Amino acid sequence: MPSNTGRRPFLAAVGGIALAGAGIAATSERANAAQADEKVTLLEGTEYETTGYVQTADADGPTVLVVGGLHGNEVAGYEAAANVSDMELERGRLVTVPRANATAIESGTRIGADGTDLNRQFPTDEEPSTELARALWGVVEEYEPDVVIDLHESQELYEGDVEDGVGQAIFHSRDVRAEEEAQEAAETLNEDYVDDSTYDFTVAPFSLPPSETPNMFVHKAARDTDATAFLAETVSDGPELSTRIHWHARVVRSLVWEELLTPGEGDPEDPDDGGDAPEEENEIPVARIETDPENAEETVFSKGETVNLDASASEDPDGEIVTYEWDVNGTNEFEEGDETAEVTLSFCGELPVALRVTDDEGATATEELVLSTV
């Protein structure tokens, strides 16, 4: 794939949007010897405001864009996009927009405050249909990604008909390279990370008209920019949230392995050039919440009852967990704590509680459950 200097001409000229005009502001976050980081704010000061992250390695290479949260009820996708947003790169550039549809995520629904499905606002060869869609497309136009990865969840498994469900599938743009990389990612997931073959990942190309779902983000990315594009789907029910997040993160790492995570030809770290081999990549931890009483998510409690939460079953495959953070108020704000926490159910309704763990290399994972009170 081309590098991010002297790369192929960018083709998304129709409906062109300048970065500032799209409601995007870029600010520098930090820089070190390995890579420079910056933040990108979309629609700052509005209810749709959300943050993107840009990681740029010293060594030149392709640009990859990872997007999550186009649908606010597909939690594993946006949590995984957040998890991979700060991974260390050997070369190239990684741009992530983990929580693209902030109002939909806040309400836990597919559709945001504007009443539209964000992933149906990207007609090919035309300007995106809504302000939020135009802002997200502005990121594409600004950073000109060579690879685009969009992370989602589906209620049902994909069995060849997108109308019946698309879970546990990696869909790809219609080119040989994309098909090969999607197949390799699926094989890696199925062999090393999927314990139950019911949830094995399958691979399929993007549908074509008239059977395709219209105006999807990755379709526009593939057709208007000639990027290699992927849409990854896990199921939304069955496997634990932490497992689904882990699967999504592994899909991303597999799809960008050659592009961003291995040295390019001639890089000083390339073993063929006599340098040291790159360090083995850090495994993402697994967050797990156990409850007392057991199966609390399946229980309806009375107001005033207390539920004890235990994160000791969480694990890190290649290190140790150093930080436990809890959100026991349903505010999406985490506070550092211990392996255990408790929740007193002081009102009637549903209360989402969440755990976030961080390993000794800085990788994070999240688990969430919902407690019900009458």
Side-chain angles (χ1 to χ4, degrees), residues 33-55:
Q35 58 194 50
D37 308 341
E38 64 182 71
K39 287 185 178 181
V40 177
T41 303
L42 281 67
L43 299 180
E44 186 171 8
T46 74
E47 62 182 328
Y48 302 103
E49 179 178 327
T50 192
T51 302
Y53 305 89
V54 183
Q55 306 280 346

Side-chain angles (χ1 to χ4, degrees), residues 128-151:
S129 305
T130 66
E131 183 181 22
L132 179 56
R134 289 189 288 273
L136 182 58
W137 192 250
V139 175
V140 178
E141 293 188 316
E142 171 67 12
Y143 292 99
E144 302 184 355
D146 300 282
V147 180
V148 175
I149 304 171
D150 187 15
L151 305 180

Side-chain angles (χ1 to χ4, degrees), residues 352-373:
V353 299
L355 162 71
R356 182 168 64 196
V357 298
T358 304
D359 71 9
D360 49 1
E361 295 291 333
T364 63
T366 305
E367 172 73 313
E368 180 180 285
L369 58 83
V370 177
L371 303 176
S372 299
T373 310

